[in-house]
Amino acid sequence: MDLTRKLVVDCLLKVESSGFSNLVLASEIDSHNLTNQDKAFATKLFYGTVERKLTLNYILQKQLSKPIAKMDKEVVAILQSGLYQLLYMQSVPDYAAINQAVGLCPVFKKTSAKGLVNAVLRKCQKFDIEKEVFKDRLTELSVKYSVNTDIVKIILRDYPEIAEDILRGMFITPKFTVKINTTKISADNFRKLLIERGLSYNDMPFCDGVEIIHRGSVTDIPGFAEGYFYVQGITSQYAVKAADIHKNDDILDLCAAPGGKSFAAAVELGGSGSVTSCDPNPSRLKLIQDGAKRLGFENITTVQNSGEVYNDSLKQYNVIICDVPCSGIGIIPKKPDLRYKSMGDVENLAQLQYEILSTASRYLKENGTIVYSTCTINKQENEQVVDRFLKENTNYKLEKQHCPVENVINSDEKVTFLSHLTGFDGFFVAVLRKMW
């Protein structure tokens, strides 16, 4: 019995009990003395199984007489992780995947299931999902790309001609990118430091953004303790670049936690001006405070505040960053749990986004800008919110955007990142200027 595979099944069971996959895996790995190779194997197997759950369950169900929902959860997790190895991990021989799965049954006190696990996995090992005939297009895309039908409906509605490309792009492995804190070290010197420590990197569209080829802890990257960088996706970096921040500007980050955009704004300010970072949750504000301390930003102030509620203690600002709560469809590759999230509350979410944007406008100085951004590609949360705001606030206009990232969609100065076209998170950015 492989202890690494047992750890993965333990994690799958905890996720089914309402745990978040990233937190569950990190906790389990920390509590075991694993080699780097074992950590990498466990990570790939666990996240892969979570990511492909709908596909795996569909295939397994075709070989089972009892509905999966009525089976012992331990047996289901063993079958799911075993089948993932058979279909998606070419480095694992079929016999090893099956034998190890069978061996896990007694460990989870399911000895009587050994024969079932062996027989089902052997029947499934040659299954080709591409040859399957489905009852309709919606079911086909949901099963093939392991995304619930709510999300598939949104993609089909908003991007009918490239829907399958977008769904396929949800399996793209996210790049590990950081923003260099140029208030402490130059971009060139940070790159030299990486080379000196034997780390490879790729340049990104912004000179102070770098993709680092690194599989260990972020704290092991040279310069972490010194505050030379912080982790941030390129799309989020772009959202702050698009704000066109100038020295001595006063910035309001209305939905700031965990703080990446506030930190990016502080880098742009270069020690001048101010950044006011808001979040309703005190524990999330502490994340910003701790990050600002490590990075050496003394011009960041945190305020407990709900973005949709006007706060007369806040002043007027040159730039407001409005990265609103959203459905998260654009970051599914980073957060596989989102694949199975119901979209039934999207209408209420869009209303909340509009209220936050409207409240933000009350804090903005004349000729100032609001950056409205989301990590979703749902037009109901993006274009429609912005269009509604512009219709009801004629003293605002859309600013031109000149995004250096290749293959972004710029439609009427509303920029959308699609993962399969850009290689980055799905993301939306609109820049609104107050004319009077």
Side-chain angles (χ1 to χ4, degrees):
M1 189 274 298
D2 185 337
L3 288 175
T4 306
R5 287 178 169 88
K6 177 187 179 298
L7 180 151
V8 169
V9 173
D10 283 331
C11 289
L12 292 172
L13 293 171
K14 288 182 178 180
V15 168
E16 283 298 312
S17 301
S18 303
F20 291 103
S21 58
N22 60 328
L23 300 179
V24 166
L25 183 64
S27 175
E28 285 293 319
I29 283 180
D30 287 346
S31 65
H32 290 74
N33 186 24
L34 299 180
T35 65
N36 287 338
Q37 184 176 0
D38 285 343
K39 288 179 183 177
F41 180 85
T43 299
K44 180 175 176 58
L45 176 55
F46 171 69
Y47 279 122
T49 304
V50 172
E51 190 176 56
R52 298 276 187 176
K53 183 176 72 172
L54 282 184
T55 309
L56 298 171
N57 283 356
Y58 178 88
I59 297 170
L60 289 169
Q61 190 63 75
K62 295 184 78 67
Q63 309 301 332
L64 293 165
S65 57
K66 183 190 292 188
I68 283 181
K70 294 185 177 181
M71 292 180 61
D72 291 339
K73 59 185 183 300
E74 295 87 355
V75 176
V76 173
I78 290 168
L79 284 169
Q80 288 170 337
S81 59
L83 183 56
Y84 181 80
Q85 293 168 69
L86 286 174
L87 298 183
Y88 301 107
M89 294 182 74
Q90 280 69 40
S91 61
V92 179
D94 285 4
Y95 72 86
I98 296 171
N99 290 346
Q100 291 292 342
V102 171
L104 284 173
C105 293
V107 177
F108 287 93
K109 297 183 172 56
K110 300 296 174 185
T111 302
S112 61
K114 289 172 66 176
L116 172 73
V117 168
N118 181 64
V120 168
L121 290 180
R122 289 189 183 281
K123 289 178 182 177
C124 290
Q125 66 187 115
K126 300 301 181 184
F127 191 93
D128 186 353
I129 196 72
E130 297 298 329
K131 295 180 180 178
E132 187 70 359
V133 178
F134 296 91
K135 63 179 182 179
D136 54 47
R137 180 68 167 158
L138 184 63
T139 304
E140 177 186 4
L141 293 177
S142 175
V143 170
K144 282 176 66 174
Y145 298 103
S146 195
V147 179
N148 77 13
T149 53
D150 283 1
I151 295 174
V152 176
K153 287 176 183 176
I154 289 170
I155 303 302
L156 284 171
R157 180 197 68 202
D158 290 349
Y159 307 92
E161 295 181 0
I162 54 172
E164 192 157 7
D165 292 330
I166 289 173
L167 292 167
R168 191 178 294 113
M170 290 179 179
F171 292 114
I172 294 173
T173 302
K175 293 180 172 67
F176 179 74
T177 57
V178 305
K179 183 175 177 68
I180 303 165
N181 180 6
T182 53
T183 68
K184 282 199 167 188
I185 188 172
S186 71
D188 287 343
N189 284 341
F190 181 73
R191 287 173 169 83
K192 288 176 184 176
L193 180 61
L194 293 177
I195 293 170
E196 289 169 2
R197 301 293 180 85
L199 285 178
S200 300
Y201 68 86
N202 294 317
D203 288 325
M204 291 287 100
F206 313 111
C207 67
D208 52 2
V210 178
E211 178 193 9
I212 299 178
I213 314 303
H214 176 69
R215 300 197 180 280
S217 169
V218 64
T219 59
D220 295 334
I221 297 174
F224 178 84
E226 295 85 353
Y228 290 167
F229 71 93
Y230 65 93
V231 178
Q232 187 176 38
I234 290 300
T235 51
S236 292
Q237 292 184 37
Y238 169 71
V240 178
K241 294 281 188 186
D244 191 26
I245 293 171
H246 298 91
K247 300 295 181 186
N248 298 311
D249 275 351
D250 292 318
I251 315 295
L252 176 63
D253 190 350
L254 202 51
C255 308
K261 293 181 180 66
S262 290
F263 304 151
V267 171
E268 296 296 313
L269 289 171
S272 70
S274 70
V275 180
T276 302
S277 305
C278 301
D279 195 88
N281 189 326
S283 64
R284 286 169 63 81
L285 287 177
K286 190 174 186 306
L287 293 174
I288 303 173
Q289 294 160 1
D290 292 346
K293 183 177 179 180
R294 179 179 69 84
L295 295 162
F297 297 137
E298 296 182 356
N299 57 347
I300 293 181
T301 302
T302 58
V303 176
Q304 187 175 354
N305 178 72
S306 294
E308 71 275 22
V309 180
Y310 182 73
N311 183 344
D312 58 13
S313 71
L314 296 175
K315 58 181 183 180
Q316 297 286 290
Y317 299 86
N318 304 99
V319 173
I320 298 176
I321 299 167
C322 214
D323 188 55
V324 296
C326 71
S327 60
I329 294 174
I331 55 171
I332 280 177
K334 287 182 176 176
K335 297 184 176 181
D337 312 81
L338 293 175
R339 290 177 171 273
Y340 316 114
K341 179 182 175 184
S342 168
M343 295 289 121
D345 64 344
V346 162
E347 202 165 299
N348 292 331
L349 194 54
Q351 177 61 28
L352 173 64
Q353 293 158 348
Y354 176 77
E355 290 171 4
I356 293 173
L357 179 56
S358 297
T359 303
S361 70
R362 299 176 67 182
Y363 304 121
L364 192 65
K365 291 180 179 179
E366 186 175 324
N367 201 40
T369 56
I370 298 176
V371 176
Y372 177 87
S373 64
T374 73
C375 55
T376 188
I377 57 173
N378 177 13
K379 293 185 179 183
Q380 188 177 359
E381 302 173 69
N382 295 341
E383 288 91 336
Q384 290 178 28
V385 171
V386 171
D387 289 346
R388 178 184 171 189
F389 177 83
L390 288 171
K391 185 177 180 180
E392 298 183 16
N393 295 271
T394 56
N395 58 329
Y396 279 80
K397 68 172 183 176
L398 282 168
E399 283 285 271
K400 286 188 177 297
Q401 295 190 58
H402 305 284
C403 182
V405 178
E406 293 183 359
N407 299 320
V408 297
I409 297 171
N410 190 336
S411 177
D412 297 325
E413 301 309 331
K414 305 182 196 86
V415 167
T416 301
F417 293 75
L418 297 176
S419 296
H420 77 285
L421 295 176
T422 67
F424 300 117
D425 294 336
F427 209 80
F428 175 84
V429 180
V431 182
L432 306 165
R433 184 172 296 278
K434 184 177 182 179
M435 295 180 288
W436 67 84

